[in-house]
Amino acid sequence: METKMNIQEYMTAGVENIIRNALKVTLTNPAQSIFMTRFAAASKAASKKRQISEKEGEHIPAFLIASITSSCNLHCAGCYARALHSCEDTEPIKQLSAEEWDHIFEQAENLGISFILLAGGEPMIRRDVIEKAGNRPKILFPIFTNGTLIDDTYMKMLKKCRNLLPIFSIEGKEKQTDTRRGEGVYEKVFSAMEVMQKEKLLFGSSVTVTKENLEEVTSDDFIRKLEQRDCKALFFVEFVPMSPESQELAPGDEERTYMNKRLSEIREAYPNMIFLSFPGDEKSSGGCIAAGRGFFHINSHGGAEPCPFSPYSDVNVRDTSLQEALHSGLFMKLQNSGILMEDHAGGCVLFENRDKVESF
């Protein structure tokens, strides 16, 4: 059963906080500030749509994660997408076309979904889909990218379509990043950041947080280097183990306490940046926000999944609407079974209960 907390109010407050901070950090960039002001109005209208739906008994999350391709040009150590076989080197078969993704974006906009996180594989491989996203200014599209494929054509697109926000994935400093992502990747990413800075384009970074790198990626030295490149957003993504052997790397209660403390400190110390943590403190949101509570995931073939770390689906958006997919049997069972509210050792409650999720 759903907890007593109002998840719609919780997520709406979170969205408003993100936009408020985004407006603040773009004040010195007129073009980006104008866009964010317009987006703030669009997001407010979207929030009203979700509130009306909520009163009518229809819960619409504010966020959608879209993995627009199963292809990637890198082979990062410990990649969850490759571990789950949602990212492979073989030629993709029956992936959603750019037109099909555009139809999903249109439905999302009509439902009041304000943010669609583009992932993969490597999303920049799908230039055709990103072009479609750029034509939807009422939705903000953070693009979680390894940063190695951004060229002049992409730069022109990013200048024109301010709703496209590259989020560069790094692992910490140069040694850690190149060890996991490949030699020279760190340098390529920071070169892309320098071009973005020169062109006064908004971008962010994403780091996977483990027990081993927690202190480094929340250190002043690390954050200051990103700030010097005009990075305006930093996403801390909690490591989710894909095997029992890697379980020990997942942050636990002690690490989450440390992270929450550091988040408060760095938000005060770096007012020109936005800091977001996923999944963050699940206790404050009444449990995991996957499976349509706060967001859900569409894979590259159209399957509606609880989240990227829980690749199970019983419905495909090719065969049904986005709204109907939110009522999938799997999502409903997850929301009503109490699994999303359970305490867990670290990482991901759905991964820890994968046998039960699979049975659903």
Side-chain angles (χ1 to χ4, degrees):
M1 295 291 292
E2 181 73 39
T3 59
K4 290 182 180 179
M5 74 163 296
N6 188 316
I7 188 66
Q8 187 63 263
E9 289 182 2
Y10 174 83
M11 296 304 296
T12 297
V15 167
E16 290 175 351
N17 186 51
I18 291 170
I19 294 172
R20 188 163 50 248
N21 286 330
L23 282 166
K24 183 172 65 176
V25 301
T26 58
L27 285 175
T28 57
N29 185 333
Q32 201 66 51
S33 186
I34 289 170
F35 164 74
M36 285 307 305
T37 301
R38 291 173 179 166
F39 176 70
S43 181
K44 191 172 183 179
S47 177
K48 286 182 179 179
K49 283 184 182 180
R50 297 195 306 274
Q51 289 170 358
I52 291 171
S53 295
E54 194 78 21
K55 289 178 181 178
E56 295 173 350
E58 178 84 8
H59 177 70
I60 305 296
F63 295 83
L64 170 66
I65 301 177
S67 289
I68 59 177
T69 180
S70 61
S71 299
C72 187
N73 60 319
L74 297 183
H75 288 75
C76 302
C79 173
Y80 79 86
R82 289 191 184 276
L84 296 171
H85 305 293
S86 58
C87 177
E88 298 178 337
D89 291 327
T90 55
E91 188 69 23
I93 299 173
K94 294 183 179 179
Q95 289 200 112
L96 295 177
S97 67
E99 288 70 27
E100 287 172 317
W101 277 115
D102 191 41
H103 183 49
I104 291 170
F105 300 157
E106 179 184 22
Q107 292 179 75
E109 183 177 319
N110 291 336
L111 288 172
I113 294 175
S114 300
F115 296 83
I116 299 182
L117 284 63
L118 300 183
E122 168 48 48
M124 289 292 187
I125 288 175
R126 292 297 304 270
R127 196 184 300 263
D128 55 343
V129 178
I130 292 177
E131 284 177 351
K132 297 291 187 183
N135 292 327
R136 299 278 173 190
K138 292 181 180 179
I139 299 176
L140 191 67
F141 291 87
I143 308 170
F144 283 75
T145 174
N146 61 43
T148 62
L149 300 180
I150 294 184
D151 54 16
D152 290 342
T153 303
Y154 261 128
M155 284 296 175
K156 290 176 183 177
M157 191 191 304
L158 295 172
K159 271 188 177 180
K160 179 184 175 184
C161 308
R162 298 281 173 165
N163 64 324
L164 302 177
L165 177 64
I167 307 294
F168 298 106
S169 298
I170 51 178
E171 306 304 324
K173 296 179 180 176
E174 184 171 8
K175 181 181 178 182
Q176 288 82 356
T177 298
D178 285 1
T179 297
R180 185 176 183 217
R181 296 185 169 267
E183 189 174 348
V185 169
Y186 181 88
E187 188 175 333
K188 286 181 180 179
V189 172
F190 269 83
S191 293
M193 287 183 183
E194 287 173 359
V195 176
M196 296 283 290
Q197 181 181 24
K198 182 181 177 182
E199 298 293 340
K200 296 184 177 179
L201 292 170
L202 196 65
F203 71 91
S205 292
S206 168
V207 295
T208 301
V209 180
T210 69
K211 285 183 178 179
E212 292 182 348
N213 73 355
L214 173 59
E215 292 189 18
E216 179 183 314
V217 298
T218 58
S219 69
D220 288 311
D221 182 51
F222 177 72
I223 295 170
R224 202 172 291 122
K225 186 164 187 178
L226 291 173
E227 184 188 41
Q228 289 169 354
R229 295 290 185 280
D230 277 346
C231 174
K232 294 301 185 184
L234 181 54
F235 292 74
F236 295 107
V237 182
E238 191 174 302
F239 174 77
V240 174
M242 291 292 106
S243 68
E245 294 76 27
S246 60
Q247 182 75 39
E248 62 184 31
L249 289 173
D253 288 342
E254 184 179 338
E255 286 75 26
R256 289 195 185 103
T257 299
Y258 178 86
M259 170 62 85
N260 289 336
K261 180 175 180 293
R262 277 300 290 155
L263 277 173
S264 296
E265 293 170 350
I266 60 182
R267 281 170 178 157
E268 186 174 343
Y270 302 91
N272 293 324
M273 293 178 69
I274 300 171
F275 299 92
L276 300 169
S277 177
F278 293 103
D281 184 5
E282 293 179 346
K283 290 182 175 62
S284 66
S285 59
C288 175
I289 60 173
R293 288 190 75 236
F295 73 89
F296 64 113
H297 177 234
I298 303 295
N299 67 32
S300 62
H301 303 284
E305 301 174 344
C307 90
F309 299 116
S310 188
Y312 304 104
S313 177
D314 61 351
V315 65
N316 193 293
V317 293
R318 274 194 171 116
D319 308 318
T320 187
S321 70
L322 202 62
Q323 186 172 5
E324 289 168 340
L326 280 165
H327 295 281
S328 81
L330 175 60
F331 285 12
M332 292 299 98
K333 284 180 181 178
L334 287 172
Q335 290 183 27
N336 295 324
S337 67
I339 286 181
L340 298 174
M341 315 304 166
E342 290 182 7
D343 287 332
H344 54 103
C348 171
V349 68
L350 292 179
F351 181 76
E352 285 192 12
N353 288 279
R354 56 195 177 279
D355 291 340
K356 196 179 292 185
V357 177
E358 213 170 307
S359 73
F360 287 165

